[in-house]
Amino acid sequence: LYLVSDLEDYYAISEPINRMKMISLLTVIIAITFAIILLSLIIYDTVKSKKKEIGLYLSLGKKKNHIFLQIFCEIWLVCLIGLSGSIFAGHAVGQKISSQVIHDIASQQENSTQEEIKEDYHFTLETSYIILVFIDGSLVILVSSLYPMKKMMRYSPKELLS
């Protein structure tokens, strides 16, 4: 009889967690898609505003790879600041959602208190996830930079400077 009670408790707990897992996955996919589209537009505008600078570098004999790397690093540093802010904001929101889910689970279970559930389930921000966010963010920035930079680099220095 005790095992059946634990199994029922497991199903009661797993449903809200699985629901949050699906919502989180969908949110991440949508966010990455919009990030790539918006960053591509912003980077294209940035590269277009540096049109004369790129033309000058090309006319001075600087390689296209070096110009791409320079502009990519400028954009990447700005985005790292944004990613850092989003990690801290996401952590704060995650803690609020986690406490709400724990409260909902505690209200559904009759034999356990909210403190007992908090001991078993807690929200943490691990270093591996932070590193993964920065790697994913860097890849999104790289993918978003490729098309605008490629489009700008196909022009000759004379076309860029005029």
Side-chain angles (χ1 to χ4, degrees):
L1 185 64
Y2 185 74
L3 291 174
V4 173
S5 175
D6 282 346
L7 189 60
E8 289 172 1
D9 290 344
Y10 169 77
Y11 287 129
I13 292 172
S14 68
E15 182 183 339
I17 291 174
N18 286 335
R19 218 174 330 135
M20 277 190 57
K21 196 175 179 182
M22 289 300 295
I23 291 171
S24 297
L25 179 65
L26 184 62
T27 303
V28 167
I29 290 170
I30 291 171
I32 288 174
T33 303
F34 278 113
I36 289 173
I37 293 169
L38 290 174
L39 279 174
S40 292
L41 294 172
I42 291 169
I43 291 170
Y44 179 73
D45 189 45
T46 302
V47 171
K48 195 174 179 183
S49 69
K50 294 181 178 236
K51 186 176 168 182
K52 293 193 186 274
E53 180 183 345
I54 293 170
L56 185 62
Y57 285 145
L58 288 172
S59 65
L60 291 173
K62 196 168 185 181
K63 294 182 179 180
K64 291 181 180 183
N65 292 340
H66 291 204
I67 298 170
F68 173 77
L69 186 63
Q70 176 185 342
I71 294 174
F72 173 75
C73 286
E74 291 173 10
I75 295 167
W76 184 66
L77 287 173
V78 171
C79 288
L80 283 182
I81 294 168
L83 284 173
S84 299
S86 70
I87 286 174
F88 291 117
H91 181 65
V93 169
Q95 283 181 329
K96 295 284 184 186
I97 291 173
S98 174
S99 64
Q100 181 62 37
V101 168
I102 289 172
H103 181 273
D104 291 346
I105 291 170
S107 65
Q108 290 176 358
Q109 294 181 352
E110 299 167 359
N111 57 352
S112 60
T113 64
Q114 191 169 350
E115 276 68 29
E116 291 174 346
I117 295 174
K118 279 185 180 180
E119 290 174 8
D120 294 334
Y121 304 100
H122 58 280
F123 181 79
T124 60
L125 186 62
E126 296 180 10
T127 308
S128 61
Y129 291 124
I130 294 173
I131 292 170
L132 185 64
V133 165
F134 282 117
I135 290 172
D136 288 346
S138 298
L139 289 174
V140 166
I141 295 164
L142 180 64
V143 168
S144 300
S145 300
L146 288 176
Y147 177 71
M149 290 299 295
K150 185 178 179 182
K151 188 173 182 180
M152 191 59 65
M153 293 297 182
R154 68 181 173 173
Y155 296 114
S156 69
K158 185 177 180 180
E159 293 171 326
L160 290 170
L161 289 171
S162 60

